[in-house]
């Protein structure tokens, strides 16, 4: 796997090594030793989201007391993934990062703790799978409006 660090601290695009033949393809989507060695993170919860229609916005969510880092992968379809730095005191506070992740490009996005996360569904019948570094806690849940003028997400 190739871990490509992005401009906002802690965000990575992960590209797996893809093996193709006449039958289709194979790739490792997760290997604990690789992710632990590169990111120093353990994942404790997996989530899957199915969206029947395109142009659906999910997020931007973050947790205050029990923040979650997220490893996001698209199993079917496509999304425009968005991460916004909400770490108080960060030099990048309020800045955002976007990436298009699809079932065809097989890329994954790691969004660290302290970022609001969400995405725009680009295709019908999209399935997003993501691993989390902490358990979900409803009491810690917060959000940012996708159209907040201070963040200015396209």
């Amino acid at each position: 796997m190739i871990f490509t660090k992005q401009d906002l601290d802690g965000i990575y695009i992960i590209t797996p090594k893809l093996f193709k033949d006449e039958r289709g393809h194979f790739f490792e989507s997760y290997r604990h030793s690789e992710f632990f060695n590169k990111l120093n993170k353990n994942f404790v919860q997996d989530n899957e989201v199915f969206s029947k229609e395109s142009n659906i916005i999910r997020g931007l969510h973050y947790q205050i007391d029990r923040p979650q880092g997220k490893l996001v992968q698209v199993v079917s379809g496509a999304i425009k993934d968005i991460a916004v730095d909400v770490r108080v005191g960060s030099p990048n506070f309020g800045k955002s990062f976007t990436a298009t992740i699809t079932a065809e490009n097989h890329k994954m996005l790691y969004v660290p703790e302290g970022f609001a996360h969400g995405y725009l569904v680009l295709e019908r019948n999209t399935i997003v799978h993501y691993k989390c570094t902490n358990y979900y806690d409803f009491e810690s849940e917060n959000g940012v409006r996708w159209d907040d003028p201070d963040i200015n997400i396209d």
Side-chain angles (χ1 to χ4, degrees), residues 81-124:
D81 205 303
I82 300 138
V84 179
D85 189 341
V86 294
R87 298 172 296 180
V88 176
S90 167
N92 293 313
F93 182 81
K95 291 185 181 175
S96 64
F97 172 83
T98 62
T100 299
I101 303 174
T102 71
E104 287 187 17
N105 72 19
H106 307 288
K107 293 183 184 295
M108 293 174 268
L109 176 68
Y110 178 70
V111 179
E113 296 87 347
F115 280 75
H117 175 255
Y119 55 88
L120 171 65
V121 177
L122 301 175
E123 295 180 10
R124 292 177 50 122

Side-chain angles (χ1 to χ4, degrees), residues 47-53 56 58 76 119 121 123-130:
N47 299 321
E48 185 173 287
V49 183
F50 171 69
S51 298
K52 294 190 294 187
E53 300 297 329
I56 292 179
R58 298 209 181 249
S76 174
Y119 55 88
V121 177
E123 295 180 10
R124 292 177 50 122
N125 299 318
T126 290
I127 299 172
V128 175
H129 178 267
Y130 59 99

Side-chain angles (χ1 to χ4, degrees), residues 1-120:
M1 287 186 214
I2 300 169
F3 289 71
T4 307
K5 188 173 183 176
Q6 303 304 300
D7 289 339
L8 290 182
D9 188 38
I11 294 182
Y12 287 84
I13 295 283
I14 298 106
T15 307
K17 187 173 182 181
L18 193 65
F19 299 92
K20 291 183 178 184
D21 64 22
E22 64 280 351
R23 300 168 295 174
H25 69 265
F26 167 86
F27 67 94
E28 284 185 354
S29 60
Y30 178 75
R31 179 185 283 250
H32 180 267
S33 60
E34 285 242 11
F35 282 87
F36 188 79
N37 289 337
K38 301 282 194 225
L39 303 175
N40 195 28
K41 299 291 179 184
N42 281 313
F43 297 97
V44 298
Q45 178 177 321
D46 282 21
N47 299 321
E48 185 173 287
V49 183
F50 171 69
S51 298
K52 294 190 294 187
E53 300 297 329
S54 61
N55 294 319
I56 292 179
I57 296 172
R58 298 209 181 249
L60 297 158
H61 302 289
Y62 66 98
Q63 299 73 31
I64 292 187
D65 295 325
R66 294 179 182 86
Q68 294 178 310
K70 297 173 182 167
L71 177 61
V72 183
Q73 175 182 17
V74 174
V75 177
S76 174
I79 63 172
K80 179 178 182 179
D81 205 303
I82 300 138
V84 179
D85 189 341
V86 294
R87 298 172 296 180
V88 176
S90 167
N92 293 313
F93 182 81
K95 291 185 181 175
S96 64
F97 172 83
T98 62
T100 299
I101 303 174
T102 71
E104 287 187 17
N105 72 19
H106 307 288
K107 293 183 184 295
M108 293 174 268
L109 176 68
Y110 178 70
V111 179
E113 296 87 347
F115 280 75
H117 175 255
Y119 55 88
L120 171 65

